[in-house]
């Protein structure tokens, strides 16, 4: 996985942005910043993981297009949803949320696969 680069976006991000300045004790605010720092790190990891996942699904899309396979694979998608729901349950994450998230990702992957297929057919 690629590591985050020190971009202008990272430099302009204010990890202490908050509407709570002057509303809570400084100690509480500092603890809040520390916890949010961890959340920010998780968010960055999620973005980079999703980027790597989509690179792999793009490769699948090209393979499918080259062999004239359909962009969607309903049996695979159903199995993945069941698997992710079970993983979510084990991880104490709401399985409904996990399913919604995966459905969103799957719909984007299918859209990408359809675009790749269309571009192969046009060539």
């Amino acid at each position: 996985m690629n590591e985050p680069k020190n971009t202008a976006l990272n430099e302009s991000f204010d990890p202490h942005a908050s509407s709570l300045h002057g509303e809570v004790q400084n100690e509480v605010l500092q603890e809040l910043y520390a916890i949010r720092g961890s959340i920010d790190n998780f968010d960055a990891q999620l973005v980079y993981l999703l980027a790597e996942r989509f690179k792999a699904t793009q490769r699948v899309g090209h393979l499918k297009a080259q062999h004239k396979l359909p962009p969607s694979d309903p049996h695979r998608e159903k199995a993945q949803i069941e698997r992710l729901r079970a993983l979510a349950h084990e991880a104490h994450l709401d399985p409904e949320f996990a399913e919604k998230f995966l459905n969103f990702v799957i719909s984007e992957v299918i859209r990408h696969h359809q675009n790749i297929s269309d571009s192969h057919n046009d060539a």
Side-chain angles (χ1 to χ4, degrees):
M1 182 171 61
N2 294 333
E3 293 297 319
K5 295 177 178 71
N6 193 10
T7 63
L9 177 64
N10 289 339
E11 292 170 4
S12 67
F13 174 69
D14 180 6
H16 296 140
S18 176
S19 303
L20 300 175
H21 291 284
E23 301 291 323
V24 298
Q25 295 176 341
N26 191 46
E27 300 81 32
V28 174
L29 206 51
Q30 293 308 312
E31 184 176 356
L32 184 63
Y33 292 154
I35 297 168
R36 285 179 174 173
S38 292
I39 293 168
D40 294 344
N41 289 338
F42 295 137
D43 289 345
Q45 291 172 353
L46 285 170
V47 166
Y48 281 89
L49 283 170
L50 282 170
E52 292 301 314
R53 187 188 194 288
F54 274 91
K55 287 176 190 174
T57 61
Q58 291 291 327
R59 291 174 48 209
V60 169
H62 287 284
L63 186 63
K64 285 181 171 183
Q66 289 169 355
H67 297 279
K68 300 190 184 331
L69 300 172
S72 176
D73 186 344
H75 291 337
R76 163 76 176 169
E77 294 153 19
K78 182 179 179 207
Q80 281 294 87
I81 289 169
E82 289 172 6
R83 177 179 165 268
L84 196 70
R85 286 183 67 90
L87 289 170
H89 181 74
E90 289 174 17
H92 305 286
L93 178 67
D94 179 7
E96 292 293 322
F97 169 77
E99 183 174 346
K100 287 177 186 177
F101 176 76
L102 186 60
N103 278 327
F104 172 74
V105 171
I106 288 170
S107 68
E108 284 299 298
V109 168
I110 292 169
R111 186 177 65 81
H112 291 176
H113 288 184
Q114 186 62 57
N115 289 341
I116 292 168
S117 179
D118 292 347
S119 69
H120 274 267
N121 291 336
D122 292 342

